[in-house]
Amino acid sequence: MRGFLSVFAYSRRALKLVWTTNPTLTFSLACLTLAAGVLPAGVAYVGATIVDAVLSAIHLGGTELSQRFVIERVAFEATLVALLSGVQRGISLSQSLLRAQLGQRVNVMILEKALTLQLTQFEDSEFYDKLTRARREASQRPLSLVMRSFGLLQNLVSLFSFAALLLQFSVWALVILLGAGLPAFIAETKFSGDAFRLFRWRSPETRMQLYLESVIAREDHAKEVKLFGLGPRLLERYQQIFRKLYQEDRALTLRRDTWGFFLGLIGTVALYGAYAWIALCTIASRITLGQMTMYLMLFRQGQAAVSASLSAVGGLYEDNLYLSTLYEFLETPVILPAGRLKQGLTPHEGIQFEHVTFTYPGATEPTLSDINLHIHPGQSLALVGENGSGKTTLIKLLTRLYTPSSGRILLDGTDLQDWDETALRQRIGVIFQDFTRYQLTLGENIGVGDVRHFDNEQRWRAAAHQGMADSVIENLPAGYQTQLGKWFNDGRELSGGQWQKIALARAFMRSDADILVLDEPTAAMDAGAEAQIFDHFRTLTKERIAILISHRFSTVRMADHIIVINHGRIIEHGNHSELMQLNGHYAHLFSLQAKGYQ
Ligand code: ADP
């Protein structure tokens, strides 16, 4: 029982959430619900007085006075019924308005929370499940919970008013009324719990389904899916998952409904038992005909109210279970960056890595081990190494997307962890190889490089010029206002190389950043263009630090300092001629590539 009750812990929070979303609507909803609770008993009561008034009118030989009395009663009942239907409309109106506002509010809460999360959390599949579950189910639940609470209240009010009238007949009638619904309720609650557990267990499968949907139905995947003829294969897998889930669902639904039917029979038997009893009492003249109609109606409606209340409790239980997933997600601890410093202890010191080691969560081997390096302002650095050697990871550490497992990274003599988030972000401009192609206008695609100037056209122009993206824009009729991507009307798709130019321009939006990082964003350009861009990049970044990851030695050789990473360790470092003299790994790779060009 305690376990059962503890599940309702979220009710209070959901009520508060709804209340704070719109107090006026919530208050009217509560008042209307109360009214809707009392009115039916009133209707039943007036109904009984009509029957009795008719009987006494017949008895009196149909005098005008007695006729008027009957008509007045009928008119009164009609008014009550009209009022009731008005109240019900009002309830559904407030509900739909509240539903829209609340749905938006909960979605915003989920998205706001997502913004505070760490990159590592996004990469954690269990965590990702929480997010999916919260988004899929939980956003509808707070309102559902509140509606059910109000529904419960309404039914309880009705029930109390029915009970007050029924008690005049017999206390046993009340006992039968309340007892008959219980078995069905207990079964229903158990099945709600089962359904919820199914929902939770299934998260990985549901995630796979969502993923398959996106691969099959999204434009960015369409090319490969078509060419590889992957469609039917993926669709089959999608169907397979459905079949498995469907079987489990079917088993549960069958059990739920079979039990529901048999336990529901108890209610029917109770109703008709009471019917017979009331009829016999009328024959024995213990109650009037009017009272008989009233008690029957009370009993019938009372039973409906009991089962509605019980199923509302069951529903509340279910809503609470699902809400737990929302709150579980919203309460995920966020590691707030503690750093406050807006300036380093020793300005112009550049970047230092001191014995930095990093292991991805869940990995057994470190991806980077004992990295030491020092880059001074005005220097350019190139990172060289095979795919998977850890170059991008190093950049992610430098940008504080991840925290080193041991060792530390200093910027201007201060540990990155002590830097204020915003100050740090403003210092560093990065373009990753998998930069995002936003389905926004071209100008905004450049503007994302510095949100403070997100829609500043002048800044776009300057950045586009520095990123050598002018030529891309000149060829587009709508220029900076061109909608990119295919999701929206008139969206233009750019070539890989054109996109890279836009991405480069993005890097130059951050004109006050003194560390610029290019992680292979030029791979889709030809070698000449890449070298030209890097050269340009270096001259533009005189007092800045330029870091480049590239597989092209023609570009790499231009860097002041080159480090060669292999299996997460720095195996060689120096400038081009030093490394050639060393005649090691770098020299080997360099001559291999040079041979290819001969
Ligand atoms: P590079 O940029 O040199 O090609 P990366 O730094 O991207 O290499 O990757 C280095 C290693 O770290 C690879 O073995 C890769 O499998 C692993 N790795 C990269 N990203 C992640 C991640 N988000 N989670 C776990 N492992 C990762």
Side-chain angles (χ1 to χ4, degrees):
M1 193 63 189
R2 274 198 62 185
F4 178 74
L5 286 180
S6 70
V7 173
F8 290 91
Y10 294 102
S11 291
R12 209 170 50 94
R13 303 173 67 171
L15 281 172
K16 195 170 149 210
L17 186 70
V18 175
W19 171 256
T20 51
T21 300
N22 192 329
T24 322
L25 274 180
T26 317
F27 184 68
S28 4
L29 198 55
C31 295
L32 290 171
T33 310
L34 274 181
V38 188
L39 282 172
V43 172
Y45 183 75
V46 177
T49 60
I50 293 174
V51 175
D52 287 342
V54 170
L55 285 178
S56 81
I58 296 172
H59 206 66
L60 291 174
T63 60
E64 198 176 317
L65 198 69
S66 63
Q67 281 180 9
R68 254 236 326 265
F69 184 67
V70 170
I71 299 299
E72 270 172 18
R73 295 272 112 182
V74 171
F76 186 40
E77 185 178 323
T79 317
L80 286 186
V81 170
L83 203 61
L84 182 61
S85 86
V87 164
Q88 277 160 348
R89 281 274 156 206
I91 290 180
S92 91
L93 174 78
S94 328
Q95 278 183 349
S96 44
L97 295 181
L98 208 50
R99 180 181 302 123
Q101 290 190 2
L102 198 65
Q104 172 70 2
R105 167 119 185 254
V106 173
N107 281 334
V108 168
M109 278 163 69
I110 293 176
L111 295 176
E112 268 174 350
K113 178 71 184 187
L115 288 182
T116 63
L117 299 172
Q118 309 270 312
L119 187 59
T120 34
Q121 288 175 308
F122 275 101
E123 290 172 349
D124 174 1
S125 66
E126 232 173 83
F127 178 79
Y128 200 74
D129 279 345
K130 268 193 210 169
L131 178 76
T132 333
R133 278 201 299 260
R135 287 187 49 189
R136 259 192 48 217
E137 266 287 342
S139 58
Q140 300 298 329
R141 294 287 171 171
L143 184 64
S144 152
L145 188 140
V146 169
M147 292 195 189
R148 281 202 237 253
S149 308
F150 284 170
L152 180 64
L153 197 70
Q154 176 188 340
N155 281 307
L156 286 180
V157 171
S158 299
L159 209 55
F160 271 110
S161 49
F162 294 158
L165 294 175
L166 258 187
L167 265 181
Q168 295 167 11
F169 176 61
S170 159
V171 68
W172 287 109
L174 203 60
V175 174
I176 297 173
L177 187 66
L178 297 179
L182 270 181
F185 163 68
I186 293 171
E188 195 49 38
T189 317
K190 179 189 168 321
F191 290 124
S192 298
D194 288 352
F196 175 69
R197 272 186 293 282
L198 263 187
F199 166 76
R200 263 193 102 103
W201 283 332
R202 283 170 173 186
S203 283
E205 279 127 341
T206 321
R207 182 153 39 95
M208 183 46 111
Q209 269 197 320
L210 284 178
Y211 176 69
L212 290 173
E213 273 172 34
S214 88
V215 174
I216 297 175
R218 280 253 309 262
E219 44 81 56
D220 36 353
H221 301 295
K223 197 171 48 175
E224 284 205 9
V225 171
K226 280 207 176 317
L227 287 181
F228 293 152
L230 269 180
R233 191 68 198 237
L234 296 180
L235 193 58
E236 175 51 31
R237 187 175 287 191
Y238 184 75
Q239 296 268 45
Q240 237 171 19
I241 298 175
F242 168 75
R243 281 194 289 268
K244 177 167 174 269
L245 301 187
Y246 176 72
Q247 288 211 325
E248 292 167 352
D249 275 343
R250 196 181 55 178
L252 183 64
T253 314
L254 272 176
R255 258 187 307 146
R256 200 176 191 157
D257 285 333
T258 319
W259 278 99
F261 173 68
F262 284 110
L263 296 175
L265 275 185
I266 298 180
T268 313
V269 170
L271 173 68
Y272 281 90
Y275 200 151
W277 179 26
I278 294 173
L280 287 177
C281 286
T282 319
I283 294 172
S285 296
R286 278 187 44 215
I287 52 177
T288 67
L289 205 54
Q291 281 170 323
M292 181 184 106
T293 14
M294 178 177 81
Y295 289 137
L296 282 182
M297 177 138 63
L298 288 179
F299 209 86
R300 204 184 279 276
Q301 291 195 356
Q303 202 171 37
V306 168
S307 71
S309 311
L310 290 179
S311 84
V313 174
L316 280 175
Y317 171 74
E318 190 176 296
D319 285 341
N320 262 279
L321 289 176
Y322 285 92
L323 266 183
S324 66
T325 67
L326 174 69
Y327 283 106
E328 206 178 293
F329 170 73
L330 291 179
E331 277 157 12
T332 316
V334 221
I335 307 140
L336 282 178
R340 290 280 165 270
L341 295 182
K342 296 196 188 313
Q343 237 183 356
L345 292 177
T346 41
H348 312 297
E349 187 65 22
I351 300 164
Q352 287 160 279
F353 276 61
E354 292 180 352
H355 305 289
V356 172
T357 295
F358 178 71
T359 311
Y360 275 106
T364 45
E365 295 285 310
T367 295
L368 288 174
S369 315
D370 198 27
I371 301 290
N372 291 293
L373 58 91
H374 192 167
I375 320 161
H376 297 278
Q379 276 192 334
S380 56
L381 171 79
L383 301 180
V384 177
E386 286 165 21
N387 290 328
S389 55
K391 304 180 295 292
T392 300
T393 307
L394 192 143
I395 304 300
K396 286 182 183 161
L397 286 171
L398 172 64
T399 43
R400 214 173 73 179
L401 288 175
Y402 298 127
T403 310
S405 314
S406 66
R408 49 183 203 153
I409 304 171
L410 309 172
L411 171 62
D412 287 349
T414 296
D415 194 319
L416 281 190
Q417 304 303 322
D418 300 332
W419 276 83
D420 169 73
E421 175 100 30
T422 320
L424 180 68
R425 297 269 175 266
Q426 280 168 12
R427 293 283 302 269
I428 310 179
V430 193
I431 299 300
F432 285 108
Q433 50 190 330
D434 53 353
F435 60 84
T436 305
R437 299 162 185 217
Y438 298 97
Q439 308 247 343
L440 301 173
T441 65
L442 187 143
E444 287 166 337
N445 257 287
I446 298 177
V448 290
D450 191 337
V451 282
R452 292 168 302 169
H453 305 291
F454 180 67
D455 37 22
N456 181 337
E457 176 142 359
Q458 224 154 1
R459 297 289 289 255
W460 298 346
R461 282 180 195 284
H465 181 66
Q466 294 185 339
M468 302 166 94
D470 293 338
S471 57
V472 178
I473 296 144
E474 276 158 19
N475 291 325
L476 296 170
Y480 288 94
Q481 301 307 327
T482 311
Q483 168 72 43
L484 296 187
K486 283 284 174 205
W487 278 37
F488 303 100
N489 264 353
D490 302 326
R492 285 282 301 247
E493 196 41 277
L494 300 181
S495 76
Q498 287 173 324
W499 265 115
Q500 288 190 337
K501 286 188 176 161
I502 302 297
L504 276 174
R506 196 180 285 172
F508 287 105
M509 270 302 282
R510 229 166 246 221
S511 50
D512 47 358
D514 53 4
I515 300 165
L516 279 169
V517 186
L518 296 185
D519 178 357
E520 283 191 75
T522 44
M525 297 180 190
D526 53 81
E530 185 186 278
Q532 195 188 0
I533 281 171
F534 183 56
D535 193 36
H536 183 65
F537 190 66
R538 269 193 328 168
T539 51
L540 278 174
T541 54
K542 276 246 166 57
E543 268 313 294
R544 304 182 184 179
I545 291 175
I547 300 177
L548 172 85
I549 298 181
S550 172
H551 291 289
R552 296 214 182 93
F553 287 87
S554 48
T555 319
V556 169
R557 64 183 294 175
M558 292 155 65
D560 304 320
H561 202 74
I562 299 165
I563 60 176
V564 184
I565 302 186
N566 195 17
H567 295 302
R569 288 177 185 277
I570 297 182
I571 52 167
E572 287 169 17
H573 62 97
N575 62 27
H576 175 72
S577 52
E578 285 164 358
L579 289 174
M580 288 307 283
Q581 253 169 21
L582 191 70
N583 202 15
H585 199 72
Y586 179 86
H588 173 67
L589 291 175
F590 183 83
S591 49
L592 265 182
Q593 205 170 76
K595 230 185 244 157
Y597 286 116
Q598 273 168 11

